[in-house]
Amino acid sequence: MKVVLFGATGMVGAGVLQECLADPRVEAVLVIGRSSCGIADPKLQEILQADFFDLTAIVPRLAGIDACFFCLGVSSAGMAEAEYRRLTYDLTLAAAKAMLAGAGRPVFCYVSGAGTDSTEHGRMMWARVKGATENALLKLPFRAAFMFRPGYIQPLRGIRSKTRLYQAVYDVVGPLYPLLRRIAPRFVTTTTALGRAMIEVAVNGASGPILESDDINRLGEATGRA
């Protein structure tokens, strides 16, 4: 299959890209980003796009795409709800509608987060906005749409966070991750499992549209790859 990936320069997106390039089921990856991911691979093409709210110019490049892996996201810390909604809901829906315009009815995989509020009326601002984004995506006429809600994500295989404080946490937790996975399997996953799970659901689907960390781990292991 051919996939589009948004957010390849972030920690989550970098992990997804790594798995796409390694998986024989993925024929080609089109990365759309503001800056280059800095990787050369025969499968990989890039489009540098400054404005993610108007993707009209790249719609013709989306023809023949089978799946979109949307891994862009921002922290809500210190952000007003209107601005967070613009950078989360509005931006994601702009990408989703461009995918429908260019690719027809692809599979759409969205990285949301554990605790997302599907009711859109809870106390946590970020959870309401994420919930609204998920709900809007699920109403669009994709062939299928999957909302990934990971909790803690441990970066593996050389993937690193660009946020120094976060990476310091990952460096400390990394050696303890196998224990953490045993005692809290419903709340933790890895960049590797997340990337593999996205590919798996794009190819074979899943039992439901909302995927928590334990679903991600199970689907990631279903690929049978080491």
Side-chain angles (χ1 to χ4, degrees):
M1 67 176 172
K2 297 179 180 179
V3 306
V4 160
L5 172 60
F6 288 85
T9 59
M11 186 188 84
V12 171
V16 174
L17 176 59
Q18 190 177 72
E19 295 308 313
C20 286
L21 296 178
D23 197 308
R25 296 174 295 179
V26 179
E27 174 189 348
V29 185
L30 177 61
V31 167
I32 300 174
R34 293 187 180 89
S35 58
S36 174
C37 63
I39 295 173
D41 189 279
K43 286 187 181 183
L44 177 64
Q45 293 187 347
E46 289 188 282
I47 296 176
L48 299 185
Q49 176 74 19
D51 184 2
F52 276 72
F53 293 95
D54 183 3
L55 299 172
T56 307
I58 71 169
V59 165
R61 296 282 302 275
L62 304 178
I65 294 296
D66 300 295
C68 176
F69 299 155
F70 194 88
C71 304
L72 280 176
V74 296
S75 170
S76 64
M79 193 176 293
E81 182 165 353
E83 181 63 6
Y84 183 69
R85 184 179 178 90
R86 188 180 79 89
L87 295 175
T88 301
Y89 181 96
D90 294 349
L91 189 147
T92 304
L93 268 292
K97 291 174 182 178
M99 292 302 307
L100 289 169
R105 298 184 67 230
V107 175
F108 196 94
C109 295
Y110 174 60
V111 178
S112 185
T116 291
D117 178 13
S118 296
T119 74
E120 306 180 31
H121 298 299
R123 295 178 60 186
M124 300 296 292
M125 178 271 282
W126 73 267
R128 293 195 305 269
V129 174
K130 286 282 192 179
T133 306
E134 287 188 355
N135 291 339
L137 290 172
L138 290 170
K139 291 176 182 176
L140 293 176
F142 291 109
R143 177 159 54 92
F146 299 99
M147 309 296 112
F148 285 73
R149 294 183 176 182
Y152 175 85
I153 304 172
Q154 180 66 37
L156 298 181
R157 302 193 176 191
I159 301 297
R160 297 182 65 82
S161 171
K162 292 189 290 187
T163 304
R164 186 175 300 176
L165 177 60
Y166 291 172
Q167 186 57 48
V169 173
Y170 298 137
D171 289 340
V172 170
V173 174
L176 303 174
Y177 180 78
L179 175 62
L180 193 60
R181 171 70 185 276
R182 286 198 296 272
I183 63 177
R186 295 182 56 195
F187 304 103
V188 301
T189 189
T190 67
T191 50
T192 298
L194 183 55
R196 291 180 179 180
M198 283 197 169
I199 296 167
E200 182 66 18
V201 300
V203 174
N204 295 316
S207 59
I210 306 297
L211 304 171
E212 307 284 352
S213 289
D214 51 351
D215 301 308
I216 292 167
N217 292 329
R218 175 177 50 80
L219 288 162
E221 292 165 357
T223 64
R225 291 174 48 225

